[in-house]
Amino acid sequence: MGKVHRWGMAVAFVVIIASAYFGIRTVFVEDKSATVPGMVGMQLVDAVEALQKEGLLAKVDQVDSPERADTVISQNLPAGEKVSKGKVVIIRVSRGGSVLPIPDVRGLKFEEGVKRLSEAGFKVDKIIRVTDKLKPAGYIIAQNPAAPQQVAANCMVNLLVSTGGTGGGAFVSVPDLKGQGIDVVTQVLEQIGLTVGSTTETPSAEVPAGTVLRTNPRNGANVPEGSQINLVIARAPRPGEVSPETPPAYDQDPQRAAAVKTVVIKNTEPSDIPTKLPDIPAAGSQKESAKEEPKAEPAKAPQPEKPAPAVPQKTAKLRYQVPPLTKPLSLKIELTDDTGTKVIKDDMANGSEYISMNVPFTGQATITIYLGGDFVWQDRFN
C-alpha cells in the first residue's frame, strides 16, 4: 500500500507541474496579439469576416451616408494596429438610402438659392454673412457641401452670403503711383480708401525729383481698405553721388567700352596682358589718334537709405473649425496686412478639424479662409 501511495503522489505532482507549465505558457508566452484589418470601403459581411480571422469582435453602428447600404465608412481603430484577441472594433456602416445631386447656388441671390435647394430636396442649415466687395449684398458666395457631387437626401446645406463691401473687410488694389507728386498720390489713395503712410527719400534720376519712385506694398498688391501705403520719394543725386538705379561710370563711356572690345588675346599660350588700351582712330581719319579720355573718378558708394521706423507686430488669434465633410478638402489660409498678402497655411483638412493659430501681423490684417477652393470665412484684426 505504501508503494502504491508513493506512485500516486508522484503522478499527482507531475500533473500539477504540467498544468502550471501550460498555464504559464498560455498567459505569458503564447502570442495573443491581433492586427486590426483595414475595412473602410468593404461590405459589412466581408468586414466582419476579416475581424473574425484576427480573433476580433465587431460592433456595428449604422449612419446616414451617400455610400451604398452596408458599406463600411469608418472604423474606430486604425488599420495595422496591434491589439489583444477578443478586442471589440467599432465599424460605422452606411444605412444607404437615396442620394441626390446638390445644385450649385453660388452667385445666386439668397432667396433664389434657397428655393433651388428646396426644389432639389435639400434644406438650409447655417447662414454665415460676411463682407465681400466683389459680391453684391444678398448674394451667395459659397456653399457646403459644394457642387457638383452626390450627397444624402437629408443633408443640410450651409451658405456663405455677402453683405456687400461695407463694414470693413473689403480689399483694394494698390495703384501705380510712380512719377506722381505727393499731392496727387494723397488724393488718389484717399479716393480708393487708402492713406499715405511713411515717406522716405532716395537718390534717383529715374523719375523727377519729388515724385514717387516706388510704394510698399508694391503696385498691384491687394490690401485691406483703410491700409497705409508707404512711399519712397526720389530726390536729385548730390555731386558725386550715384543713385541705385544709375549704372557705373565705365558703363556710360562708349569710347572706353569700344576700346575694351579691341583688346583681343590671340595666343593660347600664357602671355602678358596689355596694361594700356590701344588708341581708337578718330572718325574720318586713320592717321590721327584719338585723344585719351580723362580718367573717370571712382564713383562714390550710394548713401544707404534711412530705414523706415519699425512697426510693432501684433498677433491675430485664429480659431476656426472645419464643417463636417464627406471627404478631406484643400484648406488655404491667407493673411493680408500692411506688408502685403501671403499664404500661412495650404494643406488638406478633414471634417470637424479645429484650426488654432497665432499669426503675427503688421498694422491692420485680414485673414481669409478658402475650403475646397471656395471662400468660406474672413475676419479682420486691428
Side-chain angles (χ1 to χ4, degrees):
M1 289 294 293
K3 189 174 182 180
V4 173
H5 178 71
R6 285 196 297 272
W7 273 105
M9 292 289 291
V11 171
F13 179 75
V14 171
V15 171
I16 293 173
I17 294 298
S19 300
Y21 169 77
F22 285 108
I24 293 173
R25 177 182 174 84
T26 300
V27 175
F28 297 103
V29 178
E30 185 177 356
D31 184 8
K32 298 175 63 177
S33 65
T35 303
V36 178
M39 297 168 287
V40 176
M42 296 174 60
Q43 287 296 292
L44 176 59
V45 175
D46 297 331
V48 172
E49 183 180 355
L51 288 172
Q52 289 177 345
K53 286 182 179 179
E54 293 290 336
L56 302 174
L57 303 176
K59 181 180 183 300
V60 180
D61 287 344
Q62 287 190 323
V63 296
D64 293 325
S65 170
E67 301 291 340
R68 65 192 182 101
D70 293 334
T71 300
V72 178
I73 60 175
S74 67
Q75 57 190 77
N76 70 322
L77 297 178
E81 182 174 335
K82 297 290 186 179
V83 296
S84 300
K85 290 185 178 181
K87 180 83 172 178
V88 176
V89 181
I90 302 174
I91 54 178
R92 302 176 68 201
V93 179
S94 173
R95 189 178 281 116
S98 60
V99 293
L100 299 172
I102 186 170
D104 189 352
V105 296
R106 294 173 300 175
L108 301 180
K109 286 187 176 180
F110 174 72
E111 296 79 6
E112 184 180 352
V114 172
K115 180 181 178 182
R116 186 169 298 186
L117 288 170
S118 178
E119 291 174 348
F122 298 96
K123 294 182 179 180
V124 174
D125 185 13
K126 295 180 181 178
I127 302 170
I128 305 172
R129 301 184 184 275
V130 296
T131 56
D132 188 345
K133 191 176 182 180
L134 302 179
K135 293 287 185 181
Y139 280 75
I140 298 173
I141 302 171
Q143 65 184 78
N144 184 34
Q149 63 174 312
Q150 301 278 336
V151 297
N154 58 352
C155 178
M156 303 293 286
V157 182
N158 300 325
L159 298 178
L160 192 71
V161 182
S162 172
T163 59
T166 59
F171 285 83
V172 180
S173 178
V174 178
D176 187 359
L177 303 172
K178 188 173 183 179
Q180 300 294 329
I182 187 67
D183 294 337
V184 174
V185 168
T186 302
Q187 184 178 2
V188 170
L189 291 178
E190 288 179 352
Q191 287 177 351
I192 61 175
L194 302 175
T195 59
V196 175
S198 64
T199 59
T200 56
E201 289 188 345
T202 186
S204 176
E206 187 176 348
V207 295
T211 63
V212 174
L213 179 62
R214 56 181 176 270
T215 61
N216 184 23
R218 67 186 184 280
N219 64 293
N222 291 323
V223 299
E225 189 174 5
S227 298
Q228 291 186 338
I229 307 301
N230 301 323
L231 307 177
V232 178
I233 307 298
R235 64 169 173 80
R238 301 185 183 94
E241 184 180 27
V242 179
S243 68
E245 294 81 13
T246 304
Y250 57 80
D251 286 344
Q252 304 177 58
D253 189 343
Q255 288 187 338
R256 187 178 190 282
V260 171
K261 293 179 182 178
T262 63
V263 179
V264 179
I265 301 176
K266 296 182 179 179
N267 298 328
T268 57
E269 297 180 0
S271 60
D272 294 334
I273 298 176
T275 57
K276 183 179 180 181
L277 298 178
D279 295 334
I280 302 175
S285 174
Q286 299 294 332
K287 297 181 180 180
E288 295 182 4
S289 300
K291 295 182 180 180
E292 185 178 354
E293 291 290 329
K295 295 182 179 180
E297 295 183 2
K300 296 182 180 179
Q303 297 294 326
E305 295 183 24
K306 294 182 180 180
V311 180
Q313 280 199 331
K314 307 173 186 177
T315 301
K317 295 183 178 180
L318 171 61
R319 305 292 184 266
Y320 173 75
Q321 186 163 17
V322 179
L325 303 173
T326 57
K327 61 180 180 180
L329 292 177
S330 61
L331 177 73
K332 183 169 75 171
I333 304 178
E334 288 184 350
L335 167 71
T336 301
D337 62 1
D338 289 1
T339 63
T341 301
K342 59 183 177 182
V343 177
I344 57 176
K345 185 176 179 63
D346 192 357
D347 204 351
M348 299 299 292
N350 297 313
S352 302
E353 181 178 343
Y354 186 70
I355 308 296
S356 177
M357 302 175 67
N358 292 329
V359 184
F361 68 94
T362 303
Q364 294 181 333
T366 300
I367 294 180
T368 308
I369 298 179
Y370 300 89
L371 185 62
D374 292 327
F375 170 53
V376 296
W377 186 88
Q378 187 180 84
D379 201 358
R380 189 167 184 171
F381 301 87
N382 295 316

